[in-house]
Amino acid sequence: MYTPDLEPLAGSIGLSAAVACLPLLTVFVALGILRWKAHFAGLAGLAVALAVAIFAYDMPVNLAGLSATQGFVFGLFPIVWIVICAIWLYELTVASGRFDDLRRIIDAISDDPRIQAIIIAFGFGGLLEALAGFGAPVAITGVMLLAIGFAPMRAAVVVLLANTAPVAFGAIGIPILTAGNLTGIDYHEIGAYVGHQTPFIALFVPLFIAFLTDGRRGVAQTWPVAVAVGVVFAIAQWVSATWISVELTDIIASLAGIAAAVVVLRFWKPAGSDEARERILLDRDGNLDSGSSGSSGPAPITPAPVATRTLEATPLTTQRVWLALFPYLLIIAVFCVAKLWSPVTRFLASTDIAVPWPGLDGNILTAAGSPATTTIYKFTWLSTPGTLLLICGVIVAAVYRVSAPDAVRLFGSTLIKLRFSALTVGAVLALAYVMNQSGQTITIGTWIAGTGAFFAYLSPILGWLGTAVTGSDTSANALFATLQQTAAINAGIDPTLLVAANTSGGVVGKMISPQNLAIAASAVGLVGRESEIFRKVIWWSLGLLLAICLLVGLQSSVLAWMLP
């Protein structure tokens, strides 16, 4: 039976907290300074977490090891499982040729590159974030912007900035689901709080994209569409997160934002579209702008090795439009039934299997002396969003007439491509479980709570830092969600607010993460020039972080009426 000691070193909370920070510092240094690959950094952090738990916190070796295994398994299922099924669904659309139809639908909406950037990077990127996350939206939309003629540097910066507001609800809400699992707070409640924070970022991101593509002139000539997309996306995100479904929030908001652009463009056309194409896109000789000279050329995403169906370049019919949109409409329908229709929801919940982790459950107590509930692993084999996405993928493959052997090969290639991502997520979740169950996280939170009520203004910084280092809002929540909860309780602040703030702070840290910078650079052919991209996006990241910090701080006091 193990009970965490909050002050294991000389009875000093400060010294104990300093040692408890070592696993996190290991990850930060390995990624940010030593530039290790993410899975090596995660494994190194896990090793340090185990050492601190065993030698500083006197946690029995077997219990420390079992905590790591439980965390690692939770990282693989349901988190990695969701990502695998989401990316497999995307690859099915590529193999069928319907992804090209989706791109043609975007061209039919508007030929203005500034508006195309908003629709692709923010609208369609939000859909990809909803399904996959973990860098996939940046890579895919970066290649799409390159395909319509954007210079590599501009394409990279635009997609990184666009990949902000949707991140909190990415991969069918996995960052919020992870926070709820680790803290014990209902994830619906966390999602509702986040839905009262990130929409304020979404309001302005389309305008920022217009500025990045064509400066002040771009904002002046396209603001009706940019404002419409931002406002509609923000309202839809607010409403869905609060009253409909955390898992569906990004899908609903992204589709609503794209629909808003379509409606506005039916009654209004931007001025200067032809001139904008000359300024923004590649010139007639194929030269790139000054910010992208020396590029090694684009390196687009390579689909799995199956025969990709080529559809004839005939006019888009209503049938082809619906088929191109079919996967996303299907996902909305399936998740609405699964999450909103009570009989189905109760049935799915009844299939969940609670597994007391062998050798761990019953042997871990909280710092207060009560049995820890985190030692119960819930095997959500049917109700998890990953399995629901798998069902959607099977239906999509049948509708798109992708043969069973090709669909299986696509799934296998997706598994292979994500093997190191799976190792990274598993290692970070293992680190989080060891830190949480040994008491390291609680020690840090207790120490940080010494800032009192002012901590509300600082709490988003932890999410920003965690996502900047790991490249994942999910991993940032795995590292800091329990810390935020503990700090809030000790400081007398609403713990749900600070757990949500960790998620919201993370969305603006993703654009500067080394992992995301590398993905963007690889997708558009700027490998080795990540530092240049970083210098172009860092001030956007810091400015948005400041805005989130002020919002959360005010929501803890004078703006408390804003919270659900």
Side-chain angles (χ1 to χ4, degrees), residues 1 183 207 260 526:
M1 191 72 70
T183 62
L207 285 170
L526 294 178

Side-chain angles (χ1 to χ4, degrees), residues 204-436:
F204 299 100
V205 168
L207 285 170
F208 294 158
I209 292 174
F211 179 81
L212 283 174
T213 55
D214 200 23
R216 295 180 180 177
R217 179 169 36 196
V219 175
Q221 294 180 341
T222 65
W223 69 264
V225 170
V227 169
V229 172
V231 169
V232 171
F233 184 101
I235 292 175
Q237 194 177 59
W238 180 302
V239 171
S240 180
T242 307
W243 292 295
I244 301 178
S245 168
V246 169
E247 295 90 341
L248 288 175
T249 292
D250 272 353
I251 296 176
I252 293 173
S254 298
L255 290 176
I258 293 172
V262 173
V263 171
V264 171
L265 289 168
R266 290 196 63 179
F267 303 96
W268 172 89
K269 300 297 180 184
S273 294
D274 292 337
E275 295 81 0
R277 293 181 67 85
E278 292 294 328
R279 288 192 301 271
I280 297 170
L281 305 184
L282 305 181
D283 64 26
R284 295 178 182 177
D285 295 326
N287 296 322
L288 306 180
D289 64 15
S290 60
S292 57
S293 59
S295 169
S296 59
I301 295 174
T302 302
V306 299
T308 298
R309 186 184 309 166
T310 301
L311 301 178
E312 295 181 3
T314 56
L316 286 173
T317 62
T318 301
Q319 180 183 19
R320 289 178 66 169
V321 170
W322 279 108
L323 283 173
L325 298 175
F326 174 71
Y328 311 103
L329 299 176
L330 176 65
I331 290 169
I332 292 175
V334 168
F335 275 88
C336 282
V337 170
K339 301 298 179 181
L340 302 178
W341 192 17
S342 297
V344 176
T345 301
R346 286 194 296 268
F347 167 73
L348 292 175
S350 69
T351 65
D352 295 345
I353 301 173
V355 182
W357 203 252
L360 191 65
D361 186 56
N363 291 321
I364 299 287
L365 300 178
T366 66
S370 58
T373 59
T374 56
T375 57
I376 304 294
Y377 171 72
K378 186 175 288 187
F379 182 51
T380 55
W381 66 277
L382 183 58
S383 64
T384 178
T387 302
L388 298 180
L389 284 171
L390 178 67
I391 295 171
C392 291
V394 171
I395 297 173
V396 168
V399 171
Y400 283 178
R401 298 182 181 179
V402 177
S403 68
D406 281 350
V408 171
R409 281 195 292 272
L410 279 169
F411 196 89
S413 67
T414 301
L415 288 174
I416 294 172
K417 285 189 287 187
L418 291 176
R419 62 191 185 278
F420 291 118
S421 296
L423 180 58
T424 299
V425 174
V428 171
L429 266 296
L431 178 153
Y433 269 68
V434 171
M435 291 189 66
N436 290 342

Side-chain angles (χ1 to χ4, degrees), residues 42-60:
L43 291 171
L46 173 59
V48 174
L50 288 169
V52 171
I54 295 168
F55 297 109
Y57 281 77
D58 293 326
M59 189 179 194

